[in-house]
Structure formats: structure tokens, C-alpha cells
Amino acid sequence: MIDLLKISSETDLYNFHSHTQYCDGRVPMETMLRAAIDEGFLHWGFSPHSPIPIDSPCNMKRVDVEQYLNEIARLRETYGDRIKIYAGMEIDYLSSEWGPHVEYFRELPLDYRIGSVHFIPGGENFVDVDGSPESFMKKMERYFDNDIRHVVNAYYDSLCAMIQSGGFDIVGHLDKIGHNASCFSPGIEDQPWYQKRVNEAIDLVIEKRLIAELNTKAWHTASRIFPKECFIPRLVAAGTPIVVSSDAHYPDRVNAGRREGLALLNA
């Protein structure tokens, strides 16, 4: 395991959340890495969406994991004198039977693990509630009878269960559902019951002494970060370590929103 906190305390020139051609990343890993080098990064972590036991166009296949790790080794050999490269994975929590805590992920030779929730139960399957607002609107009607409170509660139920189950280092975009939920129901994030659910998750992050991610992916498209700015003081006051990552899927977004995120955190 790498010392994420030592890296983030010594320099701002890191990013631990980026995607690859093996999941829904839009370019080969080498193209992404070269963009990171051009941007001046000293530390770069790849974190493809993990394999999951359901069909998903966004997640890597289990058969590709070895090739991913081999590509990490090749890039280290080629670029290791210019940038430190880390093998991470953003691992989806689905249920007590699949998540960062299961033996398969614990045994992978990874430098770190991000635990995230993108799917919630919907009927007889799991539904990705992390896509675009337009896609989310259609899924709300198709799978959830437009019951936004049910969807939000299901998300935070899964998030809290994931935190309790462990097996990861960084909590990924812990209130990500808030963006789509707010597009569906403006003002929902200001409601006491919603804020209670976020704070329940934050309580667990603090209790388990996990690293929280400040995810800047949506800064330039939706003027927001995850977690929402109003929740950051609680994490900081509790001494929760926070890393700032851009969740890059494109090479021109390797540093997207990170400067603004770091400024908010430092403030």
C-alpha cells in the first residue's frame, strides 16, 4: 500500500481518481498519463471501475484486470523517472455479497482502493443512478415510480453499509446522488431528512478513520463538488484526511476543478 496521506501532505500535484480504456475512460492509459505529465503532476493513480457481477458498459471486465495491472507495470517502466504511477481501483458496492470487502478485491495487488456507490436495487436488478440527469430522469420513472426519497435513502443505505463493511481506503464522491436528486427535485439537498442521511455517512467516515475524497469532476459542468461544500467543515473539524481528485475520464480533464477544490479545502 502507498501512503496516500504522506503524498497529499507533501504536494498538491497528485490525482488518485482517473479512468481507463478498460472501463468508461475515453482514452488509453498512456494518453491520460502523458496529459498528467504535461500538466505537471508528480503522482498519478489509475482507478478503473471494478468488475461487477451484472452487465454494465461502464465497468471493466474481470478478464481485463490482469492486462490492466500489466499496463501499469509497462507505464512505470516507461515513465517512472518522470511521474509516480499507482494501481488503484474504484470498487462498486452492490450488497453484502459484492463490494470492496469481498476476498477477490482484497487479494488484488493494488496500491489503494476507492469505495463507491453507483448502483442501487431496482426491481430484480441493480440500477445505475450515477449517469447524466437526463438518464436519471428516465430511470426514476421506469424503475422507481418517481419516488426520489426512496432512491436517496437506498443510496445512503448502500453507502453506509459499504463503509461498515470496509476493505477500501478512500470514500469516493460520498454524496454524488445529490446532483441527480437536485436535478429531479430542486432544493432536496436543503431538506433536513436529506442532510441527516449525508451526516450519517459522514459520522461513519469519521468513526472508521477513512480518507474522504473531494471529487471535482462536476465543478466546470455543474459548479459543484462532492461532498457538497457545506459538509466539508465537519470533515475538517474531525481531522478527517481529504484528498482532492478530478475523476478524470478524458485527458483534458486531468486537473479539472482541482485548483478550485484545493482552494476550498485550504480555506
Side-chain angles (χ1 to χ4, degrees), residues 28-243:
M29 291 166 62
E30 185 166 10
T31 303
M32 188 77 79
L33 186 65
R34 290 180 67 87
I37 292 171
D38 290 344
E39 191 70 19
F41 281 98
L42 300 177
H43 301 268
W44 190 264
F46 288 103
S47 54
H49 291 288
S50 70
I52 53 176
I54 59 176
D55 290 334
S56 167
C58 296
N59 290 72
M60 71 187 308
K61 305 299 182 184
R62 193 162 177 166
V63 296
D64 289 332
V65 172
E66 183 177 2
Q67 187 174 348
Y68 160 63
L69 295 173
N70 289 339
E71 181 65 357
I72 289 283
R74 186 188 74 82
L75 292 174
R76 283 173 174 162
E77 181 69 23
T78 306
Y79 297 96
D81 60 338
R82 301 168 67 184
I83 190 171
K84 297 293 184 182
I85 303 164
Y86 307 108
M89 188 173 287
E90 184 177 17
I91 304 173
D92 271 294
Y93 180 90
L94 297 181
S95 69
S96 60
E97 297 180 355
W98 193 268
H101 61 287
V102 303
E103 185 177 6
Y104 170 70
F105 293 116
R106 288 180 179 271
E107 292 184 348
L108 287 178
L110 299 171
D111 294 311
Y112 64 93
R113 295 158 177 81
I114 301 173
S116 295
V117 174
H118 302 95
F119 298 82
I120 63 171
E124 298 180 355
N125 210 330
F126 289 90
V127 178
D128 182 358
V129 293
D130 190 65
S132 69
E134 294 76 19
S135 173
F136 182 78
M137 301 291 185
K138 295 176 182 177
K139 291 172 182 176
M140 282 297 301
E141 181 176 6
R142 180 176 179 181
Y143 297 106
F144 303 113
D145 295 325
N146 288 323
D147 187 347
I148 189 61
R149 188 157 180 161
H150 165 78
V151 169
V152 167
N153 279 324
Y155 175 88
Y156 285 109
D157 286 347
S158 289
L159 180 64
C160 290
M162 180 189 76
I163 295 170
Q164 291 280 23
S165 298
F168 61 97
D169 308 287
I170 303 172
V171 182
H173 47 60
L174 66 85
D175 66 342
K176 185 77 183 296
I177 191 66
H179 177 50
N180 279 340
S182 291
C183 291
F184 182 87
S185 179
I188 191 173
E189 290 180 279
D190 297 325
Q191 296 179 17
W193 72 269
Y194 179 92
Q195 297 208 351
K196 180 175 181 290
R197 294 310 318 261
V198 181
N199 280 308
E200 287 172 359
I202 291 175
D203 288 341
L204 286 174
V205 171
I206 294 170
E207 176 189 330
K208 301 295 183 181
R209 299 182 178 180
L210 296 170
I211 301 170
E213 175 189 64
L214 195 161
N215 186 301
T216 63
K217 175 183 178 180
W219 180 262
H220 291 300
T221 57
S223 299
R224 69 168 297 159
I225 55 176
F226 308 106
K228 199 172 182 181
E229 186 176 350
C230 62
F231 296 111
I232 295 176
R234 271 209 69 206
L235 293 164
V236 172
T240 302
I242 300 173
V243 295

